[in-house]
Amino acid sequence: MSRFVLLSPSAEFDQKLRAAVAHGLRGTVQTIASDILPAGPAELFALLNQEQPEVLIIGPDVPYEEALRFAKVFDVQLPGLSLVLVSDVDPDYLLYAMRAGIRDILSPQADAAEIRVLLERACQSFATRHRGPETQQAENGSGLVIGVFSPKGGVGKTTLATNIAIGLGQIAPMSVVIVDLDLQFGDVASGLYLNPQHTVTDAVTPAAAQDSLVLKAFLTVHPAGIYALCAPPNPVDADHITPEQIGHLLEQLAHEFQYVVIDTAPGMPEIGLAAMEQCTDVVWVSAMDIPSLRGLRSGLEVLRQLDIMPESRHVVLNMADAKSGLNVRDVESTIGAPVDVSVPRSRAVALSTNRGIPVLQESKKDPAVKSLRQLVERFNPAWRTQAQRKLHRRVVI
């Protein structure tokens, strides 16, 4: 049985699709080389001589109106199928395509890596829709929203956020999205070496807010198997984004992804507080200097008073250096909280940041890499289950 079915007369795209599937995806491709699509599922399956595949790809050279007609029929009769449209569709028609039943849209110029990433996502969507209601409900409730915060700037917050996202992408490919909520001066795009076509500004428009499929179209795919929603290029655009819009955006993403990683602006602006209210986990970052530590202590005290502190808190001491005159015990005494992960100062991390390639994306041997993996592991379901068991044993004892 073919897992993927291509409907297109384009021999060039057929070749490209088969190459993408052959290098990293389980299953085969069957092609119907015509720009006239079948009238419905029965006719399609007769042509294929098989039962339902997982992903139908409507390829290039199929008229847009014909693709929409086909999608509407299948969305009614086989709503669990993943339909992908390969087209340079005008943004004005994007919403119509999504509402017709198109699950994702791919550019005809996409390379094999982009095709492979999108098909993997389509297969995961197919699998999710074919699980039982109890399983789906359990999964929907298991998504984590991880906010990376710091009262002070310059402590490596974006570096940590991008590495957390990359590390989680290795645990759960195509199930991670990183959101840059430093809306005026965010660096997630440069930290991941991305040039996004769409940003948070697009993601909070009414069309995206009302339809998560439209929202997904505004995400940028990263080669490491994660998604990114970057800050707008013009700082002025941040003035038009409200905390309410951000709260709704994060809620949408949490229903679509296993992990939502948020990089925030320094301090505690309204956007940051709105994000924190959606967080299941907060990573607090501090450098090993007195101003940073005092800022973190004050921030923690304010949030305790406001009672919006998520229970799952992770304190990270970044750029730790034994020559700074402070040790971990001094830090814990100053901030009034234990340090969960200490990331030593590292030339490898600094170099990777300047290159736009997070250090966890490469197989480097470095003490900082080991610490970053420890931090990522704290969000692994296996680690959390083990930690809860240890806590339970302490309580019982």
Side-chain angles (χ1 to χ4, degrees), residues 132-171:
E134 293 181 0
T135 305
Q136 289 187 32
Q137 185 177 7
E139 289 188 348
N140 287 339
S142 65
L144 297 184
V145 181
I146 304 162
V148 183
F149 293 82
S150 174
K152 296 281 186 179
V155 297
K157 183 169 43 57
T158 300
T159 297
L160 286 179
T162 51
N163 275 285
I164 290 171
I166 292 294
L168 290 174
Q170 294 164 356
I171 295 172

Side-chain angles (χ1 to χ4, degrees), residues 223-237:
I226 67 171
Y227 295 91
L229 186 55
C230 300
N234 188 345
V236 176
D237 292 342

Side-chain angles (χ1 to χ4, degrees), residues 50-103:
Q50 70 169 62
E51 294 182 356
Q52 178 178 335
E54 293 183 26
V55 184
L56 287 181
I57 303 109
I58 306 174
D61 302 330
V62 174
Y64 179 69
E65 295 75 13
E66 176 72 358
L68 288 193
R69 191 273 309 165
F70 180 85
K72 288 176 182 176
V73 172
F74 274 74
D75 192 44
V76 171
Q77 298 186 28
L78 288 175
L81 204 63
S82 286
L83 274 171
V84 175
L85 175 64
V86 183
S87 173
D88 284 324
V89 61
D90 190 294
D92 293 338
Y93 293 100
L94 186 62
L95 185 57
Y96 296 108
M98 295 295 186
R99 285 180 174 169
I102 301 294
R103 302 288 179 182

Side-chain angles (χ1 to χ4, degrees), residues 5 31 33 72 100 106-107 117 133 140 189 207 212 225 242 274 358 371 391:
V5 172
T31 302
K72 288 176 182 176
L106 179 69
S107 169
V117 165
N140 287 339
S212 292
T242 68
S371 297
L391 179 61

